[in-house]
Amino acid sequence: MKKNLSILFLLFIVLSITACGKSDESFISEQTENRNENNDKTDTPISGKNGHYLVLYSSRTNNTEHVAQTIQSILDCDILEVEPQIPYDDDYNSMLNRAQKELEEIRQGNYPAIKTSVDNFDNYDIIFIGYPIWYGSMATPMQSFLRQHASKLSGKQIALFATSGSSGITSSVNEAQSICTEFYLD
């Protein structure tokens, strides 16, 4: 009962829920780094006791990370950070310029490289996806992650959450739905 109330509470924290389709069950152990044939980084989430849920997040200033860790702590579930291939500058204006350029590139179909990859999501019932909102849009590393993993996320229930200084989540929800359904319609 307490766990169900926690999940209900999280659904109030989580600003929107969308589905890419069906769901499955639990899994995942310790954090490890593996290399696939292309030498790309494949990550295993840091494991919690409740493997039914996964919290994926992208965070530059640690605000989204803090929300992700709160969700992870309440649910005692798995968590994994989605990271860009090239880290962002600490300088805020440089980061804004890069984010603006990356958003322009995404509109043209060119997604920035990320170093985080997940082999499968088969055993998760709900995947919480968190990101900062940049210029009214989902942060570019998370857009890249969703695009690269759209087929693996097909059939999963997705709960989105975002942090922002001024923008709402609506545009980013539409972006997530577009990325998930662009390739894998239910």
Side-chain angles (χ1 to χ4, degrees):
M1 177 70 170
K2 187 175 181 182
K3 194 65 87 174
N4 288 338
L5 289 175
S6 295
I7 292 171
L8 187 57
F9 172 72
L10 281 174
L11 294 178
F12 287 111
I13 292 174
V14 174
L15 301 175
S16 176
I17 291 186
T18 185
C20 288
K22 307 169 190 162
S23 69
D24 253 308
E25 299 195 342
S26 78
F27 185 98
I28 293 289
S29 21
E30 296 177 50
Q31 179 178 12
T32 58
E33 288 186 8
N34 301 316
R35 300 280 172 185
N36 64 18
E37 293 171 9
N38 298 328
N39 241 1
D40 295 327
K41 181 177 174 185
T42 301
D43 297 299
T44 301
I46 296 173
S47 183
K49 292 179 184 169
N50 184 353
H52 292 279
Y53 310 111
L54 171 63
V55 179
L56 289 170
Y57 71 93
S58 177
S59 187
R60 193 191 80 80
T61 62
N62 300 327
N63 291 330
T64 309
E65 179 179 27
H66 179 71
V67 175
Q69 289 173 342
T70 300
I71 294 169
Q72 189 273 336
S73 176
I74 290 170
L75 291 178
D76 192 18
C77 63
D78 299 352
I79 189 168
L80 179 64
E81 182 176 9
V82 173
E83 299 177 82
Q85 188 68 43
I86 301 168
Y88 290 93
D89 288 338
D90 288 335
D91 179 71
Y92 185 68
N93 289 325
S94 294
M95 188 283 302
L96 288 177
N97 290 334
R98 177 176 163 189
Q100 213 168 23
K101 288 176 187 172
E102 288 177 344
L103 287 167
E104 296 277 329
E105 288 291 316
I106 285 174
R107 288 183 191 104
Q108 296 173 19
N110 302 314
Y111 288 76
I114 56 172
K115 65 180 181 179
T116 307
S117 182
V118 175
D119 288 332
N120 73 65
F121 299 93
D122 291 346
N123 298 307
Y124 294 110
D125 293 329
I126 298 175
I127 300 163
F128 294 86
I129 297 177
Y131 48 87
I133 295 179
W134 295 344
Y135 294 102
S137 290
M138 176 185 294
T140 58
M142 190 57 75
Q143 287 192 50
S144 291
F145 183 88
L146 291 178
R147 180 170 169 92
Q148 288 178 15
H149 292 80
S151 66
K152 296 174 189 174
L153 290 167
S154 180
K156 291 296 167 186
Q157 188 172 22
I158 307 296
L160 301 176
F161 65 97
T163 56
S164 176
S166 61
S167 301
I169 193 171
T170 304
S171 293
S172 68
V173 170
N174 293 336
E175 289 165 343
Q177 289 174 330
S178 171
I179 292 167
C180 285
T181 60
E182 183 176 334
F183 304 103
Y184 305 96
L185 298 172
D186 283 321

